[in-house]
Amino acid sequence: MTRKEPKHLSCTFPLLCFFFSFIAHTVPNMAYPLSTSSRWIVDENGQRVKLACVNWPSHLQPVVAEGLSKQPVDAVAKKIVEMGFNCVRLTWPLDLMTNETLANNVTVRQSFQSLGLTDDIVGFQTNNPSIIDFSLIEALKMVVTKLGNHNVMAILDNHLTKSGWCCANNDGNGFFGDNFFDPTVWTAALSKMAATFNGVSNVVGMSLRNELRGPKQNVNDWFKYMQQGAEAAHSANKNVLVIMSGLSFDTDLSFIMPRPVHLSFTGKLVFELHWYSFSDGNSWSTNNSNDNCGEVLNRIRNNGGFLLNQGFPLFLSEFGIDERGGNVNNDRYFGCLTGWAAENDVDWSLWALTGTYYLRQGVVGLNEYYGVLDSDWISVRNSSFLQKISLLQSTLQGPGPRTDAYNLVFHPLTGLCLVRSLKDTTMLTLGPCNSSEPWSYTKKTLRIEDQPLCLQSNGPENRVTMSRTGCSRWQTISASRMHLALTTSKNNSLCLDVDATNNILANPCKCLSKDSSCQPMSQWFKIINATRPLKSSKLYKQLENMCPKSDML
Ligand SMILES: *[C@@H]1O[C@H](CO)[C@@H](O)[C@H](O)[C@H]1NC(C)=O
Ligand SMILES: *[C@@H]1O[C@H](CO)[C@@H](O)[C@H](O)[C@H]1NC(C)=O
Ligand SMILES: *[C@@H]1O[C@H](CO)[C@@H](O)[C@H](O)[C@H]1NC(C)=O
Ligand SMILES: *[C@@H]1O[C@H](CO)[C@@H](O)[C@H](O)[C@H]1NC(C)=O
Ligand SMILES: *[C@@H]1O[C@H](CO)[C@@H](O)[C@H](O)[C@H]1NC(C)=O
Ligand SMILES: *[C@@H]1O[C@H](CO)[C@@H](O)[C@H](O)[C@H]1NC(C)=O
Ligand SMILES: *[C@@H]1O[C@H](CO)[C@@H](O)[C@H](O)[C@H]1NC(C)=O
């Protein structure tokens, strides 16, 4: 069998070679600083840099980046890259910039001592002996430096004021004017933090304040103080992106739709949004999955998604699930979310990197089941979870080395994509998205670009096949728009599905509405638009090989 590569993917144009070689060889040394170009975050050369971050908490009581009593900081930074992330959202408490004693005159060792964390002192001494007697601010700087050595970008997130677990409506850290949240103090501290990391090139952004919330929250104060905070950070450090959180625990940016943010500078403003399963109460368990996904996507569009159309980057800076699995509501939520995130190719940061916390809410060594690292801080907690986000880690659209537009057929439940079976290329299965050929979804047929081959149904419970003659027509149905149903069956009764061994077949459509107990996710697919070759894909490598070495920078 021969798979003809799409003809347009040649690298005969010097300009394309230039761009491509730039990406291939300088991703590790991106041209900082970053700025915005319409809805994209771009580097100095105007090439898109997609943020694929993981949150690394450093805002709990010890005020030390978590995990360093378990592993050397270098090993953690290396692992972050191995897991496919290019960036960390590093959290810090405001007190670190307002209390000189805390920042400069308390060492990591002393901080652990004061909290009775004797095991962590031993572990830290073993794993990071050169840092244990650093002051808390010097230890944070060292973490940022080590991330930089591994080409990992850092976004400094002011998570709260008083170190500790976050966030509640009445914890005094929620909104301007709360007990621990004086806007003047905050603005000065942001400025100081920005100045502290001025000239540190891998610090690409600052989340100005995490999850604004609580009884005092209001739109007028939001505009007044967020604009002041952004100006303060920018005047102390012209390089950083300034990232603004919405109201109601950062689930709501709808108030920006009619009223733009005014800043004295341009090209640096990014908005961030948080989206968890519990952001929508218990609706994932009480409603039909398709109806609820449709409903929640409307909310996301109104509360933040619209910003993409207004020409701003939207950074989904917290989302995640219990990675032990077994929670059907989480599976529904996560399929709906990853479909949306892939379709819109948004920048994002997963909650969380954690392993375990030194001390969280009074518990020593608490496990973070939402974390990608296991309690040893080096093993992956659940590799099937990483598979679910691997497509999101690729750049799909935006300025950079392009191919002609193509489609991927993404299967959120697994994180895989529709591909031809290697054993029998007339059959279809799920495979890594970077092994997908370019699909084209036009006039309701699914074809492989430039080939006379299209997806054909062979009736219920039979495998679909690649055909030269009988193209079936498929349309997206249900409130989630994630079922691909055969148009010829009069009542949308046959949908694309996946069996236990990832064979693609057509089955009666599952729980399109009403039923709240059944699980449609094996039938959830999302047709993704892409204009960029996926990293590590054959197309990408082919392009790399076509570029003469002399063109490489
Ligand atoms: C500053 O930090 C030190 C060390 O943690 C602490 O003892 C002191 O109470 C803090 N000062 C204020 C004003 O919070
Ligand atoms: C810092 O700590 C030392 C002893 O550990 C103490 O003598 C000094 O006064 C402290 N300085 C500040 C500014 O707290
Ligand atoms: C989902 O469930 C909630 C109650 O949990 C209800 O108020 C809401 O209307 C439901 N939405 C849909 C789309 O059925
Ligand atoms: C990983 O996640 C899958 C799917 O949710 C689940 O079935 C499995 O038990 C999880 N594995 C571990 C080790 O938690
Ligand atoms: C409609 O769907 C039902 C259930 O899947 C099926 O039994 C029936 O044959 C379908 N009718 C038509 C006209 O396709
Ligand atoms: C995908 O691309 C097609 C063709 O260019 C376009 O009509 C469609 O709106 C795009 N979909 C999304 C979600 O951007
Ligand atoms: C897909 O990506 C993975 C991880 O980067 C890589 O190991 C694999 O070789 C790639 N597969 C293809 C077909 O390009």
Side-chain angles (χ1 to χ4, degrees):
M1 139 270 162
T2 57
R3 287 193 196 177
K4 191 163 70 81
E5 295 301 336
K7 59 176 180 275
H8 46 263
L9 259 178
S10 84
C11 200
T12 48
F13 303 104
L15 196 60
L16 182 59
C17 283
F18 171 82
F19 282 142
F20 182 75
S21 59
F22 181 79
I23 282 286
H25 294 271
T26 60
V27 159
N29 291 305
M30 245 162 314
Y32 300 125
L34 303 185
S35 56
T36 66
S37 170
S38 166
R39 59 148 294 187
W40 311 109
I41 294 171
V42 297
D43 71 7
E44 279 286 86
N45 300 306
Q47 307 289 298
R48 181 177 184 204
V49 174
K50 179 172 177 175
L51 302 178
C53 315
V54 63
N55 282 278
W56 190 350
S58 185
H59 67 279
L60 279 82
Q61 273 164 291
V63 197
V64 177
E66 300 289 337
L68 301 183
S69 60
K70 299 277 183 80
Q71 293 295 333
V73 60
D74 258 323
V76 177
K78 181 160 172 268
K79 191 71 192 178
I80 288 169
V81 175
E82 270 173 29
M83 291 188 293
F85 302 101
N86 62 10
C87 151
V88 157
R89 182 171 177 259
L90 187 61
T91 65
W92 60 281
L94 204 71
D95 277 356
L96 191 61
M97 284 293 122
T98 57
N99 182 339
E100 291 275 351
T101 312
L102 179 68
N104 297 315
N105 215 5
V106 174
T107 65
V108 171
R109 187 192 301 277
Q110 289 163 344
S111 184
F112 285 143
Q113 259 160 4
S114 71
L115 294 165
L117 300 172
T118 45
D119 288 351
D120 284 307
I121 295 175
V122 176
F124 210 108
Q125 178 76 59
T126 308
N127 287 297
N128 290 288
S130 65
I131 307 176
I132 190 164
D133 293 312
F134 277 21
S135 68
L136 295 182
I137 188 65
E138 289 304 321
L140 187 74
K141 285 187 193 166
M142 186 50 73
V143 169
V144 169
T145 301
K146 295 288 186 180
L147 288 170
N149 292 348
H150 291 270
N151 306 304
V152 176
M153 297 177 279
I155 288 168
L156 306 172
D157 162 50
N158 174 221
H159 211 67
L160 37 44
T161 300
K162 297 276 151 207
S163 61
W165 186 245
C166 186
C167 302
N169 265 316
N170 291 299
D171 62 9
N173 286 273
F175 200 73
F176 307 105
D178 279 355
N179 272 355
F180 307 119
F181 199 173
D182 178 328
T184 313
V185 173
W186 172 73
T187 306
L190 278 186
S191 169
K192 196 168 172 196
M193 191 66 164
T196 300
F197 286 92
N198 196 10
V200 180
S201 62
N202 68 313
V203 172
V204 298
M206 289 178 67
S207 275
L208 301 183
R209 182 73 171 197
N210 183 61
E211 298 199 350
L212 296 158
R213 63 189 176 277
K216 288 212 168 75
Q217 69 171 356
N218 70 85
V219 167
N220 285 339
D221 282 352
W222 187 94
F223 277 97
K224 181 176 174 191
Y225 296 123
M226 292 305 275
Q227 287 172 177
Q228 283 178 12
E231 295 288 349
H234 183 75
S235 41
N237 183 336
K238 301 272 184 289
N239 294 330
V240 287
L241 298 168
V242 293
I243 308 174
M244 294 188 181
S245 154
L247 297 173
S248 303
F249 296 86
D250 198 11
T251 61
D252 183 7
L253 288 155
S254 61
F255 53 92
I256 291 162
M257 200 183 296
R259 181 174 168 184
V261 167
H262 288 293
L263 297 174
S264 66
F265 54 93
T266 57
K268 290 290 181 183
L269 178 59
V270 172
F271 294 98
E272 62 183 313
L273 189 75
H274 292 181
W275 177 7
Y276 288 105
S277 66
F278 47 80
S279 307
D280 296 280
N282 58 2
S283 70
W284 288 105
S285 57
T286 56
N287 290 313
N288 170 272
S289 303
N290 285 305
D291 290 343
N292 203 56
C293 178
E295 195 98 331
V296 170
L297 288 178
N298 273 334
R299 181 184 72 71
I300 291 293
R301 216 166 286 128
N302 294 330
N303 287 10
F306 70 91
L307 287 160
L308 297 170
N309 301 325
Q310 287 194 351
F312 293 100
L314 180 64
F315 179 38
L316 181 64
S317 60
E318 285 190 27
F319 68 99
I321 54 171
D322 184 328
E323 292 176 23
R324 290 171 297 182
N327 179 329
V328 293
N329 306 323
N330 272 344
D331 289 348
R332 296 172 176 190
Y333 147 80
F334 210 66
C336 187
L337 179 148
T338 51
W340 175 85
E343 179 176 42
N344 289 286
D345 200 17
V346 292
D347 300 281
W348 53 268
S349 184
L350 179 76
W351 190 273
L353 179 64
T354 332
T356 53
Y357 297 98
Y358 304 122
L359 175 66
R360 174 178 146 183
Q361 296 166 297
V363 182
V364 174
L366 189 74
N367 229 310
E368 172 62 277
Y369 294 113
Y370 279 52
V372 284
L373 291 180
D374 216 334
S375 56
D376 64 3
W377 271 85
I378 202 71
S379 317
V380 170
R381 189 177 291 276
N382 192 329
S383 56
S384 81
F385 178 81
L386 278 186
Q387 184 177 290
K388 288 183 201 212
I389 60 168
S390 63
L391 178 62
L392 302 186
Q393 291 174 327
S394 292
T395 305
L396 303 170
Q397 300 176 41
R402 303 172 54 90
T403 73
D404 286 356
Y406 66 98
N407 293 123
L408 293 166
V409 187
F410 178 49
H411 186 253
L413 182 63
T414 53
L416 299 173
C417 282
L418 182 68
V419 298
R420 281 198 278 174
S421 164
L422 286 174
K423 286 192 213 109
D424 177 351
T425 56
T426 64
M427 294 292 177
L428 287 132
T429 182
L430 293 177
C433 294
N434 65 357
S435 70
S436 174
E437 293 163 281
W439 290 93
S440 146
Y441 178 62
T442 41
K443 297 185 184 142
K444 296 186 177 159
T445 63
L446 261 172
R447 305 176 168 278
I448 290 174
E449 289 263 20
D450 291 349
Q451 297 203 16
L453 289 171
C454 60
L455 210 61
Q456 184 184 44
S457 160
N458 298 296
E461 283 154 51
N462 287 325
R463 293 184 71 171
V464 297
T465 46
M466 294 309 296
S467 156
R468 281 173 189 279
T469 51
C471 296
S472 302
R473 284 152 59 84
W474 307 87
Q475 61 187 346
T476 55
I477 60 161
S478 89
S480 71
R481 319 290 312 158
M482 287 211 275
H483 289 265
L484 277 173
L486 207 59
T487 55
T488 48
S489 60
K490 287 202 184 77
N491 55 7
N492 285 333
S493 58
L494 270 193
C495 279
L496 216 58
D497 203 345
V498 176
D499 73 10
T501 54
N502 285 349
N503 294 322
I504 307 293
L505 59 170
N507 273 333
C509 300
K510 283 196 279 194
C511 35
L512 295 180
S513 64
K514 296 197 179 73
D515 189 343
S516 66
S517 61
C518 70
Q519 303 283 46
M521 285 88 75
S522 70
Q523 294 186 351
W524 277 2
F525 290 89
K526 192 73 150 181
I527 293 174
I528 306 295
N529 285 350
T531 54
R532 306 273 304 258
L534 293 198
K535 203 167 164 212
S536 309
S537 69
K538 247 164 70 181
L539 300 185
Y540 190 91
K541 286 176 187 148
Q542 186 194 20
L543 203 47
E544 188 177 33
N545 291 337
M546 282 179 177
C547 292
K549 285 278 180 266
S550 59
D551 276 359
M552 302 293 181
L553 293 183

